[in-house]
Every structure is written in C-alpha cells, then in structure tokens.
Amino acid sequence: MATPLRPEPNPLPGTVLLQRLALLVSHLVVALVALVAIGGATRVMEAGLACPDWPLCYGRLLPGHQMNLQVFLEWFHRLDAFVVGIALLVLTGTSWIGRRQLPGWLPWAAGTALLMVAVQGGLGALTVTQLLAAPLVTAHLATALLLVALTSGLYQRLAIVGRDLQAPPAWWLALAGVALVL
C-alpha cells in the first residue's frame, strides 16, 4: 500500500509575496529592455516626432488613420512606458503595504525606480516638445539604461532573498558598480 503524500508545509508569510514581487520585477526587466529596444528603433527609423503631441498621439489614445510604421513605433514606445509605469506603481504600493514581511530596502528601491520612471516620462515629453534636442535624447536614454540596471539589480536581490542565498562578495559588487559607471 502506498504511503499518502504529505502536504507541503505552508510557506512563510512574506515568501509568497516576495516570490510574486520577484516575478513582477523579472517581467519589468523584460519590459524595460523591450522599451529601450523600441526606443532605439524609434530613433533609427526617425520616428521620434511621428506623434507630434504628448502624451496623446494626434490628440487621441489610438491614432487610427494616421497609423503607419513610424507612428506605430512611437505610439508603442509610449504604450510600453505606460505599462512599465503602472507595474512600478503596483510594485511600489505593494512593497510599502507589505513592508513588514519584506526586506526593508525593497520599498525604497521600488520608490526610487518609480521616481526614475516619472523622470523618464518627463524627459520623453521634453524630447518630443523640444523637437528631439540632443541633450534631452541622451538624458532620456541614460535614464532608461539606469532604470534597466536598477530593476535588474532589484530582481537579483529579490532572487537572493527568496532563495536564502548569500549576497555576492563585496569585490563583485564593486566590479558591477564600475561596469555600471563605465
């Protein structure tokens, strides 16, 4: 006669929340990398001003009759940025609400990422309204890359905490910081 399977023990209270937030952040990293790639495609295709107004495109949420490849790239770039912003609002709100069960650094890191995406949105708006001024385009890209680095690091830290692994050694963190600066 087979022995009955024992049920899995209930995870610690914050473990499920931590795993779900780690999953959200992993999706955020992918969305941000896609956002940078779409932004690059928008720049290469000279579509940065395909939607002449901001935040709408031709005064509408969906620019129906004006839609072509350039308009689609610019519109989709904005749509992805909006989704990233909503996901960061969810991450920040959830991490503040559940802060007693989560690592103390998480609400601050999530809030920093949310602030960075707000700055990024402002730079995106200025990029359009100032007709693609080179310093604004550069600042927009630099902020995007910093946001990718922050969310990637955030995911890595969540993965370490979620698996009870040790943090990387100090020399590795220093090396990663130098690489980020470079």
Side-chain angles (χ1 to χ4, degrees), residues 27-39 72-88 117:
H27 285 89
L28 263 168
V29 172
V30 172
L32 282 164
V33 169
L35 187 59
V36 171
I38 294 164
F72 176 77
L73 283 171
E74 176 63 14
W75 174 81
F76 193 74
H77 181 68
R78 292 179 187 187
L79 177 64
D80 192 10
F82 175 76
V83 169
V84 164
I86 294 299
L88 280 169
V117 89

Side-chain angles (χ1 to χ4, degrees), residues 3 63 69 99 112 117 128 176:
T3 58
L69 179 61
R99 68 185 176 274
T112 300
V117 89
V128 171

Side-chain angles (χ1 to χ4, degrees), residues 13-138:
T15 305
V16 173
L17 179 59
L18 191 66
Q19 290 170 343
R20 289 185 178 164
L21 290 178
L23 182 63
L24 174 62
V25 174
S26 72
H27 285 89
L28 263 168
V29 172
V30 172
L32 282 164
V33 169
L35 187 59
V36 171
I38 294 164
T42 300
R43 181 75 172 152
V44 167
M45 295 292 295
E46 297 182 0
L49 295 176
C51 292
D53 50 344
W54 192 94
L56 300 174
C57 187
Y58 289 97
R60 301 172 63 190
L61 289 175
L62 182 62
H65 295 300
Q66 293 84 6
M67 190 66 81
N68 59 32
L69 179 61
Q70 289 181 315
V71 172
F72 176 77
L73 283 171
E74 176 63 14
W75 174 81
F76 193 74
H77 181 68
R78 292 179 187 187
L79 177 64
D80 192 10
F82 175 76
V83 169
V84 164
I86 294 299
L88 280 169
L89 274 171
V90 168
L91 174 67
T92 303
T94 303
S95 65
W96 277 101
I97 291 168
R99 68 185 176 274
R100 295 185 195 280
Q101 302 171 348
L102 299 168
W105 52 264
L106 182 58
W108 297 102
T112 300
L114 182 61
L115 179 62
M116 285 180 71
V117 89
V119 168
Q120 184 67 348
L123 287 170
L126 286 172
T127 297
V128 171
T129 60
Q130 299 301 309
L131 305 176
L132 303 176
L136 289 171
V137 171
T138 302

